[in-house]
Amino acid sequence: MSIEIYIDLVLVIFLVITGLAVIYVRNLFAVAMLSGIYSLLMASIFVVLDAVDVAFTEASVGAGISTVLMLGVLAITGNREKVSHKSSVLPLLIVIGTGSLLVYGTWDLPMFGDPNAPVHMHVAPEYISNTYKHTGMPNIVTAVLASYRGYDTLGEVGVIFTAGIGVLLLLSKRKTKKEVNQQNKLKEKL
Amino acid sequence: MKHHTIPRVIAKLTIPGIILFGLYVQFHGDYGPGGGFQAGVIIGAAMILYGLIFGLDDLRNVAPQKIVTLLVAIGFLLYAGVGVVTQILGANFLEYGVLAHSQKDGQHIGIILVEIGVGITVAAVMITIFYMFAGRK
C-alpha cells in the first residue's frame, strides 16, 4: 500500500472528528473555527487528489472568507447555540437515506485515476496537448477557465455580481421615500 | 477588538503579507494554481480582517463603501468590455487572439485583463457583504 492511502485515511478521520465536533460543540465561535478547519482538511484532500486549483479555492473560500464572515455575524448575534429539544429521528432518516443513495451512485463511477474513464477520453486530451500551442499558458486550468470557457466564466462573474447586488438591495439601509417623508414631517412639527 | 493588543499586532503584521500574496495569486494564475477568483477572495479577506480588528470606521477610510460598490460593477464591465473590444477588432466575443500581433500574446493580455476583472468583482462583493452584515447593529 502506498503512503497516500494512509494520508487519505488520517485526513478522513480528522474530517469525521471535526464534523462531529461541529454538531456537539455549543459555542458558536468554536463552531465557526471548526468549520474553517473542516475546509482546510478538505483542501488538503484535494491536494492529495492533485486538484490544486480546487484546493486553493476551497482553502481561500471555505477556510478564509466564510470563517471571517461568520465571525463578523457572530459579533452581532450571540455566540451560544440554543439547545433544541426537537426529535431528530426524521432528519437522521433523511440524511441516512440521501447518504446511502449517494454511496450507491458512486458504484457506477469509474475508478479514481482510471485512464479509460469517459472524462479522459473526450476533450481532456485535446486540452492537454493543444493548450500550450494555442495560448502559451503553462496552467491549463487557467487557460480553460479564462480562454476556452470564457463565456462560462463571464457568467460566473455575473452570478457573483448578482449575489453582491442582491445582498446590497436586501440589507443596505438606504431610506425609502416614505421614511424620508415621515422624517421631514417630524422636522416640520418640531 | 481595537483594545486587544495581540489580535491587533498580529493583524498589522499579516495583512500586508495577505494582500501581497493575493496579488501574487492574481498575476501568477497563468503559471501556477490560482487566478482572479482566489485572489479576489484573499484580498477581500484581508480587508475584512482589517475591518474586524480595527472597526468599521477605519475600514470605511481604507475602502470607502461607495467606491467598493462601484468596483462590483467595474470588474464585471472590465470582463465584458474585453469581449466587446475583441468584437470591435473583428473577432468573436472574448476571442483574445486579436488583442496583439501574435495569437499567444493576445491570449496573455486577454486572460490577464479578464482575471483582473474577476478579482475586482469578487473582492468588492466580499467586502460589500461584510459591510452589509457588520453595519446592521
Side-chain angles (χ1 to χ4, degrees), chain A:
Chain A
M1 268 206 290
S2 69
I3 185 94
E4 245 176 60
I5 300 227
Y6 293 107
I7 295 176
D8 280 347
L9 211 61
V10 170
L11 286 174
V12 169
I13 289 171
F14 272 132
L15 265 187
V16 172
I17 294 173
T18 331
L20 287 175
V22 167
I23 298 174
Y24 284 110
V25 173
R26 290 269 170 244
N27 185 337
L28 291 176
F29 179 77
V31 171
M33 294 324 265
L34 280 169
S35 61
I37 294 172
Y38 189 92
S39 291
L40 209 59
L41 287 168
M42 216 50 224
S44 319
I45 290 181
F46 287 139
V47 171
V48 176
L49 293 175
D50 281 337
V52 199
D53 281 86
V54 183
F56 208 154
T57 315
E58 178 69 36
S60 53
V61 176
I65 201 100
S66 342
T67 312
V68 173
L69 282 177
M70 213 70 94
L71 291 181
V73 172
L74 282 182
I76 306 172
T77 64
N79 67 352
R80 292 222 48 96
E81 186 184 341
K82 268 190 202 155
V83 187
S84 96
H85 296 287
K86 279 183 194 158
S87 149
S88 49
V89 176
L90 185 66
L92 188 69
L93 282 180
I94 292 174
V95 167
I96 290 177
T98 320
S100 24
L101 272 180
L102 287 174
V103 172
Y104 175 70
T106 59
W107 289 352
D108 275 346
L109 287 180
M111 288 297 289
F112 176 68
D114 179 6
N116 294 320
V119 67
H120 298 306
M121 307 297 284
H122 189 46
V123 286
E126 188 101 344
Y127 284 139
I128 291 169
S129 53
N130 290 334
T131 297
Y132 196 76
K133 245 188 285 169
H134 288 161
T135 66
M137 292 274 144
N139 185 359
I140 299 175
V141 177
T142 302
V144 170
L145 284 179
S147 185
Y148 289 108
R149 292 266 163 264
Y151 279 10
D152 300 4
T153 311
L154 179 67
E156 274 172 45
V157 178
V159 168
I160 296 166
F161 170 79
T162 318
I165 297 295
V167 171
L168 206 63
L169 283 176
L170 287 173
L171 297 185
S172 75
K173 282 192 291 191
R174 200 164 284 176
K175 283 170 193 144
T176 58
K177 256 188 190 165
K178 213 174 168 187
E179 281 170 334
V180 174
N181 283 342
Q182 275 177 349
Q183 265 190 352
N184 288 344
K185 272 182 194 166
L186 267 178
K187 270 183 199 163
E188 279 170 21
K189 273 184 192 169
L190 289 172

Side-chain angles (χ1 to χ4, degrees), chain A residues 157 160-161, chain B residues 71-76 116-126:
Chain A
V157 178
I160 296 166
F161 170 79
Chain B
L71 285 176
V72 172
I74 286 175
F76 185 64
I116 290 175
V118 177
I120 290 175
T121 293
V122 171
V125 166
M126 295 303 156

Side-chain angles (χ1 to χ4, degrees), chain B residues 1 6 13 22 28 35 39-40 42 45 53 55 58-59 75 78 84-85 104 106-107 109 118 120 124 127 129:
Chain B
M1 284 243 228
I6 294 175
L13 279 176
H28 205 255
I42 291 171
I53 303 285
D58 279 25
L59 181 60
L78 177 61
V84 174
V85 168
K104 279 189 185 178
Q107 289 282 345
I109 295 171
V118 177
I120 290 175
I127 300 169
I129 292 177

Side-chain angles (χ1 to χ4, degrees), chain B residues 46-70:
Chain B
M47 303 304 254
I48 292 171
L49 180 63
Y50 185 83
L52 276 180
I53 303 285
F54 296 96
L56 266 186
D57 294 333
D58 279 25
L59 181 60
R60 284 208 181 91
N61 287 336
V62 181
Q65 217 165 332
K66 269 188 183 163
I67 295 180
V68 174
T69 312
L70 267 182

